[in-house]
């Protein structure tokens, strides 16, 4: 396919919801995703706060049922390919998809986010050799072992709670002494008997070459350093935007997230953004799904008003 009415970049919850609404508006829609559908849901152990699942649901199961809902729609083309650039040619939106050209009358960017790194020497090399961003994927490697978790947000505490079921000892390393995570997670982690709180501490060095042997912890504000032997280190210190090359006209915030209005319209007419890639405070599955539906509605209005040409 070389052209379509609407292209959705990214098949996480926002992209899946956007695609669902676009095809139901009768638009020829292409959903582009470089890996499996589901986005970060695929590495989320349990989703406890998605309405409709009072007992919670495994991330991968929610991802499966979201994407299954797209199956009956013949006007939706699902392409497994990487989008590397978006260009504007007059009113046309042109995507580079695995090196090929795809023209769309409108585009919804739902590219999501990637895990932020500590920025320490050896970090890339040790990923998969002790360092991880996914407790569900890698937690079982550390059964009965001592691990560290870095971060104080919902991701760090939620993933820590999962890890406490398998590891012998978990050191929760946080740069402050209060958490930004929801109280429900803070209360549970404080009640766990195999968690050691490393408040006011930052990791300043990673030790080991073929596998992680430990980390250096710097205590704040004193600045004293000590070695903490751990075989695993799970890093949950927030996210960074994952985006193809974009025209400079698309306004982003200081962290690189796309600025939109409440209808998910970016600063360029016909380009919308939804989900975690958007500049906003609340990044949840439920808000991503809402963003996707809102963006599709705004995109449909944009096309109905004859704006595409
Ligand atoms: P986050 O809320 O941004 O928290 C990041 C944590 O890492 C903060 O505690 C921060 O410390 C710390 N941090 C940041 N940079 C650091 C560095 N360089 N070194 C050491 N520590 C650092 O990120 P998140 O927990 O991944 O959550 C991201 C979004 O997803 C949030 O909106 C969150 O609510 C949402 N989320 C929701 C759920 C849920 O509702 N179940 C689950 C997961 C994520 P400070 O606190 O000092 O800034």
């Amino acid at each position: 396919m070389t052209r379509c009415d609407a292209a959705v970049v990214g098949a996480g919850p926002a992209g899946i919801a956007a695609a669902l609404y676009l095809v139901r508006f009768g638009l020829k829609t292409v959903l582009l995703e470089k890996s499996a559908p589901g986005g970060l849901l695929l590495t989320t152990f349990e989703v406890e706060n998605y309405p409709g699942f009072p007992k919670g649901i495994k991330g991968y199961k929610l991802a499966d049922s979201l994407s299954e809902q797209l199956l009956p729609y013949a006007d939706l083309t699902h392409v497994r390919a990487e989008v590397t650039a978006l260009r504007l040619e007059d009113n046309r939106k042109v995507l580079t998809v695995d090196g090929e050209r795809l023209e769309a009358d409108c585009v919804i960017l739902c590219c999501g986010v990637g895990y932020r790194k500590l920025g320490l020497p050896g970090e890339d090399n040790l990923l998969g050799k002790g360092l991880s961003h996914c407790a569900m994927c890698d937690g079982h490697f550390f059964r009965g072992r001592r691990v560290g978790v870095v971060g104080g947000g919902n991701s760090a505490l939620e993933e820590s709670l999962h890890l406490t079921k398998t590891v012998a000892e978990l050191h929760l390393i946080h740069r402050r002494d209060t958490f930004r995570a929801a109280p429900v997670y803070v209360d549970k982690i404080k009640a766990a008997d195999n968690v050691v709180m490393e408040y006011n501490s930052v990791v300043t060095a990673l030790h080991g070459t073929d596998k992680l042997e430990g980390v250096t912890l710097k205590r704040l504000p004193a600045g004293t350093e000590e070695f903490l032997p751990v075989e695993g280190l799970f890093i949950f210190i927030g996210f960074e935007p994952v985006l193809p090359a974009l025209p400079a006209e698309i306004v982003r915030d200081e962290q690189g997230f796309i600025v939109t209005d409440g209808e998910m319209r970016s600063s360029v007419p016909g380009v919308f953004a939804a989900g975690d890639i958007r500049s906003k405070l609340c990044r949840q599955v439920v808000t991503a799904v809402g963003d996707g539906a809102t963006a599709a509605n705004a995109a449909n209005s944009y096309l109905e008003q004859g704006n595409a040409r």
Side-chain angles (χ1 to χ4, degrees):
M1 179 180 283
T2 55
R3 78 160 306 285
C4 61
D5 297 330
V8 179
V9 184
I16 290 172
L20 178 66
Y21 276 69
L22 289 167
V23 282
R24 289 170 66 87
F25 284 129
L27 297 170
K28 286 220 173 308
T29 303
V30 177
L31 176 60
L32 301 140
E33 169 61 58
K34 66 181 172 198
S35 51
L40 286 183
L41 273 179
L42 297 175
T43 55
T44 301
F45 181 67
E46 185 98 27
V47 180
E48 288 183 3
N49 51 4
Y50 193 76
F53 297 94
K55 292 183 179 154
I57 179 167
K58 298 275 181 281
Y60 76 89
K61 283 195 176 169
L62 184 54
D64 280 354
S65 45
L66 286 170
S67 55
E68 194 184 325
Q69 206 162 345
L70 297 176
L71 293 177
Y73 296 96
D75 270 351
L76 176 71
T77 307
H78 195 152
V79 179
R80 189 155 182 170
E82 185 168 12
V83 176
T84 49
L86 165 64
R87 291 193 319 282
L88 306 172
E89 291 182 6
D90 300 325
N91 233 1
R92 293 268 169 81
K93 283 74 196 167
V94 180
L95 295 167
T96 307
V97 182
D98 276 355
E100 304 284 323
R101 178 185 170 94
L102 173 68
E103 273 183 29
D105 290 338
C106 66
V107 170
I108 304 181
L109 296 167
C110 307
C111 318
V113 289
Y115 291 101
R116 186 178 290 147
K117 295 177 185 177
L118 291 168
L120 294 173
E123 190 168 0
D124 288 339
N125 175 52
L126 286 167
L127 200 62
K129 300 172 187 166
L131 288 198
S132 173
H133 297 284
C134 178
M136 182 182 68
C137 324
D138 298 329
H140 61 280
F141 293 125
F142 303 99
R143 186 171 293 280
R145 311 291 172 91
R146 183 194 288 126
V147 302
V149 172
V150 189
N154 280 328
S155 298
L157 269 67
E158 201 174 29
E159 302 288 314
S160 292
L161 285 167
H162 172 56
L163 285 168
T164 56
K165 295 174 191 153
T166 46
V167 303
E169 193 174 286
L170 186 151
H171 291 250
L172 183 53
I173 303 160
H174 181 35
R175 63 185 179 184
R176 296 188 291 132
D177 62 359
T178 53
F179 293 105
R180 69 173 61 230
V184 62
Y185 298 127
V186 178
D187 293 346
K188 282 187 194 170
I189 204 76
K190 285 184 174 171
D193 56 12
N194 56 349
V195 174
V196 180
M197 297 294 189
E198 307 284 6
Y199 291 124
N200 300 313
S201 302
V202 289
V203 176
T204 53
L206 305 168
H207 301 275
T209 41
D210 295 332
K211 66 182 178 70
L212 184 74
E213 289 162 9
V215 300
T216 299
L217 285 188
K218 184 176 182 179
R219 306 297 189 185
L220 303 174
T224 51
E225 290 194 327
E226 60 195 74
F227 180 73
L228 175 69
V230 286
E231 290 175 68
L233 187 72
F234 291 81
I235 303 162
F236 301 108
I237 58 170
F239 297 106
E240 291 171 339
V242 175
L243 280 166
L246 294 180
E249 293 96 312
I250 297 180
V251 173
R252 299 203 246 163
D253 68 15
E254 62 284 351
Q255 292 176 296
F257 294 96
I258 297 173
V259 175
T260 69
D261 66 9
E263 302 304 319
M264 312 301 140
R265 293 179 286 224
S266 79
S267 50
V268 169
V271 178
F272 305 82
D276 288 356
I277 197 59
R278 202 162 75 77
S279 181
K280 60 177 185 175
L281 286 179
C282 185
R283 292 193 169 85
Q284 302 277 302
V285 186
V286 70
T287 59
V289 166
D291 282 4
T294 305
N297 190 57
N300 185 52
S301 302
Y302 169 82
L303 296 180
E304 276 184 346
Q305 287 156 17
N307 283 316
R309 282 155 213 284

